[in-house]
């Protein structure tokens, strides 16, 4: 018996059979921030077979208060979150196969990664990405663990395609507390509470204890001492566009128009080229440095400061323009640097 997992195997509902099942499973975690780092660490320690981590951002000092796995050095080096998490997790458990993807998760990227995935974990910070995960879960019949937190408020819900309501069904009927930007801040125990729910549900599903899955939607406020557990079965909508009889999966439809987005509460605009580019970061850094700009970076990104605003470019042509919420201004800056 592998001593590493002995305590988990002593837990009767899992046992050696459940442990063997966990070992065979592949979990995709979208978003490697507060929620994603907690659940990733839990799953890696639990001995899951493989995890795929996807995140578009890099580590900053303001992340360290609640995002496990990251260090001051990661923030100083602006290391991409997916890569920083992978490096740390691989030290925790070398037996787990870990794939790190630095990029914006749109429908086509995610669909290309779903082969063999047994579970989708929500580590995102926005509802657009969550509805995308929700549609993928329904279309490919993969369980999806929704989780969300802001301030001291959190929510969690387990979505089993064909069995439970989906996120669309659920959120159509419930007040969307917590669907705000991260401008109101967050305390770390909120993250722990959401990921405790997500983590327990993951262990149930991965170890083959599907009957133990929680049927209720859970929300809580740790500061105001409130905990709500709401039976959700009746919320399933047979006309739902994501999980109904004639589902169209609206969030998987090809995006049209410019891929420019103001990132909620971040004072940052993200720009993605309509067709993926392959930037030579070294060449760009050299070119900009010789033009007199302040340039920084690492193997995954290059940053340049212009008029007090920091622009960060990734290999695939995506950019984060910090210090602005103005889409037009950001677009102009983007084009003036990489055309
Ligand atoms: Zn639905």
């Amino acid at each position: 018996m592998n001593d590493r997992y002995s305590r988990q195997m002593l837990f009767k509902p899992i046992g050696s059979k459940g442990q063997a099942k966990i070992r065979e499973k592949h979990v995709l975690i979208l978003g490697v921030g507060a929620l994603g780092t907690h659940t990733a660490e839990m799953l890696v320690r639990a001995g899951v077979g493989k995890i795929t981590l996807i995140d578009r951002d890099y580590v900053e000092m303001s992340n360290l208060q609640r995002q496990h796995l990251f260090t001051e050095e990661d923030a100083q080096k602006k290391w991409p979150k997916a890569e920083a998490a992978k490096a740390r997790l691989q030290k925790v458990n070398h037996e787990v196969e870990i794939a790190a993807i630095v990029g914006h998760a749109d429908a086509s990227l995610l669909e290309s990664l779903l082969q063999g995935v047994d579970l989708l974990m929500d580590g995102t910070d926005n509802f657009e990405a969550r509805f995308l995960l929700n549609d993928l879960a329904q279309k490919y019949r993969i369980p999806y663990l929704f989780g969300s937190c802001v301030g001291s408020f959190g929510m969690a819900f387990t979505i089993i395609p064909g069995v439970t309501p989906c996120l669309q069904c659920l959120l159509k009927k419930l007040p969307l507390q917590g669907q705000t930007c991260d401008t109101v801040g967050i305390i770390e125990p909120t993250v722990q509470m959401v990921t405790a729910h997500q983590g327990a549900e993951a262990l149930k599903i991965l170890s083959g204890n599907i009957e133990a899955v929680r049927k209720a939607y859970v929300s809580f406020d740790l500061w105001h001492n409130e905990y709500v557990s709401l039976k959700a079965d009746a919320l399933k909508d047979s006309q739902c566009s994501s999980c109904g009889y004639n589902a169209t999966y609206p969030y998987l439809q090809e995006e049209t128009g410019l891929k420019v987005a103001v990132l909620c509460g971040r004072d940052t605009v993200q720009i993605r080229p309509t067709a993926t580019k392959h930037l030579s970061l070294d060449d760009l850094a050299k070119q900009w440095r010789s033009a007199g700009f302040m340039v920084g970076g690492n193997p995954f990104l290059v940053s340049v400061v212009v008029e007090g605003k920091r622009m960060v470019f990734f290999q695939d042509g995506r950019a984060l323009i910090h210090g602005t919420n103005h889409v037009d201004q950001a677009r102009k800056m983007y084009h003036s640097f990489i055309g």
Side-chain angles (χ1 to χ4, degrees):
M1 186 173 91
N2 191 338
D3 192 50
R4 178 193 282 263
Y5 307 113
S6 61
R7 301 306 185 275
Q8 190 163 277
M9 287 156 70
L10 275 172
F11 182 70
K12 280 226 172 63
I14 293 181
S16 56
K17 277 189 188 155
Q19 189 63 43
K21 284 182 182 159
I22 291 171
R23 190 81 194 94
E24 289 165 5
K25 298 299 197 305
H26 178 185
V27 179
L28 183 146
I29 302 176
L30 178 56
V32 190
L35 296 175
T37 51
H38 280 72
T39 50
E41 181 170 353
M42 193 281 297
L43 290 168
V44 163
R45 288 186 187 277
V48 72
K50 178 176 180 180
I51 59 172
T52 296
L53 304 170
I54 310 165
D55 197 285
R56 64 187 175 189
D57 220 334
Y58 56 87
V59 182
E60 295 177 278
M61 286 303 271
S62 65
N63 301 148
L64 302 185
Q65 162 252 2
R66 70 198 173 285
Q67 302 188 10
H68 284 193
L69 305 176
F70 302 144
T71 63
E72 290 177 357
E73 193 185 350
D74 294 328
Q76 276 147 12
K77 289 182 169 173
K78 296 187 174 59
W79 217 246
K81 289 183 177 181
E83 291 287 348
K86 178 185 172 177
R88 167 74 184 147
L89 291 167
Q90 214 69 86
K91 285 184 189 163
V92 170
N93 189 344
H94 74 283
E95 295 174 353
V96 178
E97 187 184 344
I98 301 171
I101 290 156
V102 181
H104 178 89
D106 56 16
S108 60
L109 174 67
L110 286 169
E111 284 192 285
S112 74
L113 296 171
L114 285 184
Q115 182 77 34
V117 168
D118 300 288
L119 179 64
L120 301 170
M121 300 282 286
D122 191 343
T124 69
D125 60 358
N126 67 88
F127 273 81
E128 195 189 333
R130 289 188 174 110
F131 284 124
L132 185 54
L133 278 178
N134 183 60
D135 270 358
L136 289 167
Q138 297 301 326
K139 184 175 175 188
Y140 294 93
R141 317 302 274 179
I142 304 170
Y144 160 45
L145 301 181
F146 161 69
S148 160
C149 52
V150 61
S152 56
F153 178 82
M155 306 185 267
F157 186 58
T158 301
I159 293 162
I160 309 284
V163 179
T164 67
C166 79
L167 195 63
Q168 289 261 31
C169 297
L170 189 75
L171 295 184
K172 241 183 278 171
K173 304 276 170 55
L174 292 172
L176 266 183
Q177 261 181 304
Q179 198 197 1
T180 54
C181 302
D182 54 9
T183 45
V184 300
I186 184 159
I187 54 170
E188 207 268 351
T190 316
V191 180
Q192 300 257 12
M193 185 82 159
V194 171
T195 56
H197 283 85
Q198 287 181 304
E201 294 295 289
L203 288 179
K204 292 174 191 173
I205 292 168
L206 299 176
S207 65
N209 288 284
I210 197 89
E211 71 291 343
V213 161
R214 178 170 32 77
K215 309 286 191 304
Y217 155 86
V218 162
S219 74
F220 60 84
D221 190 321
L222 288 174
W223 206 262
H224 300 100
N225 312 312
E226 292 162 3
Y227 188 93
V228 175
S229 176
L230 188 81
K231 213 169 174 304
D233 306 15
L235 298 178
K236 193 160 173 57
D237 174 7
S238 60
Q239 302 302 315
C240 174
S241 59
S242 293
C243 74
Y245 295 120
N246 299 308
T248 55
Y249 314 116
Y251 286 83
L252 300 185
Q253 307 308 318
E254 268 307 302
E255 293 173 71
T256 51
L258 284 166
K259 297 178 178 179
V260 180
V262 179
L263 301 192
C264 209
R266 291 273 315 273
D267 202 23
T268 296
V269 175
Q270 172 180 263
I271 298 185
R272 288 183 292 144
T274 35
T276 303
K277 295 175 191 255
H278 294 283
L279 301 183
S280 164
L281 300 180
D282 280 348
D283 290 350
L284 288 175
K286 263 182 225 151
Q287 191 186 319
W288 296 340
R289 211 170 270 131
S290 64
F293 290 106
M294 213 167 84
V295 179
N298 59 43
F300 306 99
L301 55 87
V302 57
S303 69
V304 56
V305 177
V306 187
E307 292 161 16
K309 293 177 179 50
R310 197 169 81 237
M311 299 199 283
V312 178
F313 294 87
F314 296 81
Q315 274 161 341
D316 60 3
R318 188 170 58 90
L320 297 173
I321 322 275
H322 299 290
T324 180
N325 283 320
H326 296 286
V327 167
D328 288 337
Q329 184 188 26
R331 197 186 287 131
K332 231 178 255 167
M333 290 174 72
Y334 179 89
H335 287 309
S336 69
F337 272 77
I338 56 172

